[in-house]
Amino acid sequence: MARRPRLPIVIFGARVRPDATPSRTLRHRVEAAAVFARECENPFLIPTGCARDGLPSEARVMADLLVAGGVAPDDIVMEETARDTLDSVRACSQILHDRGHVGPVAIATSAYHLPRCMMLMSLAGWKVIPVPPPPHPAARSLPRRWFWRLREVAALPWDALLMVVRRGHRPASRD
């Protein structure tokens, strides 16, 4: 019997703490992706995010968490160049194209960030599957939660415009 195509699960990064440990948000995104991956038949995970300020990359910190949680290193493909969400979409799309992937892509991130990530991956030409977001809010205080939500309100149309303009300079990905 033929093995089903691998399902990529892109885990969008969040900043690493100054002591090089994962932030609460980063930990929760990885946990949600790992839970989802355990329910999939043939997943591989793509943690994304670059290094900043001499700290390990967001992708490296997430990969370490995944391995500590029982994910096989061969099931992890790190993307360590992306500085923001749009960069992550473009870099992960390139990884997927390079691997010959043509199926859907699962998206793992925080609830407030999920609509933008899904929209950008869709604009990049992928069929997207939302990973159920972490059950914990990304920020503990209500003002901080509203800050992140309002930031997304501004970022979503801006990134969509940039994605469409940049896509005009390259062929769209395959479904």
Side-chain angles (χ1 to χ4, degrees):
M1 185 172 191
R3 193 168 193 196
R4 294 182 93 184
R6 299 202 75 185
L7 175 66
I9 303 169
V10 175
I11 311 170
F12 285 84
R15 291 223 181 218
V16 174
R17 294 171 52 184
D19 64 358
T21 60
S23 64
R24 181 174 173 269
T25 298
L26 198 63
R27 262 192 341 273
H28 289 160
R29 289 177 183 185
V30 170
E31 289 166 5
V35 166
F36 185 81
R38 283 192 288 275
E39 297 170 2
C40 297
E41 184 176 323
N42 194 17
F44 68 98
L45 296 104
I46 307 175
T48 180
C50 69
R52 300 172 198 265
D53 305 322
L55 298 170
S57 72
E58 295 167 8
R60 164 53 53 207
V61 171
M62 288 189 281
D64 290 346
L65 286 171
L66 290 165
V67 169
V71 175
D74 289 346
D75 290 335
I76 300 169
V77 178
M78 287 193 304
E79 187 299 299
E80 296 182 280
T81 65
R83 298 190 58 76
D84 59 29
T85 302
L86 186 57
D87 281 353
S88 290
V89 168
R90 296 178 75 208
C92 290
S93 288
Q94 187 62 53
I95 288 170
L96 294 169
H97 284 297
D98 291 350
R99 294 174 69 96
H101 183 74
V102 295
V105 177
I107 306 299
T109 190
S110 302
Y112 74 87
H113 194 226
L114 190 58
R116 179 163 53 125
C117 295
M118 290 187 60
M119 185 256 328
L120 290 172
M121 288 299 285
S122 292
L123 286 173
W126 301 103
K127 178 182 177 195
V128 293
I129 300 168
V131 170
H136 318 285
R140 293 181 185 176
S141 73
L142 189 58
R144 196 77 182 143
R145 283 197 294 266
W146 274 104
F147 167 80
W148 288 111
R149 289 175 185 149
L150 292 173
R151 181 175 178 255
E152 289 298 305
V153 167
L156 192 143
W158 177 250
D159 278 357
L161 176 63
L162 291 175
M163 189 71 182
V164 169
V165 167
R166 290 178 183 170
R167 192 174 74 185
H169 296 107
R170 312 192 146 122
S173 65
R174 299 169 271 174
D175 282 314

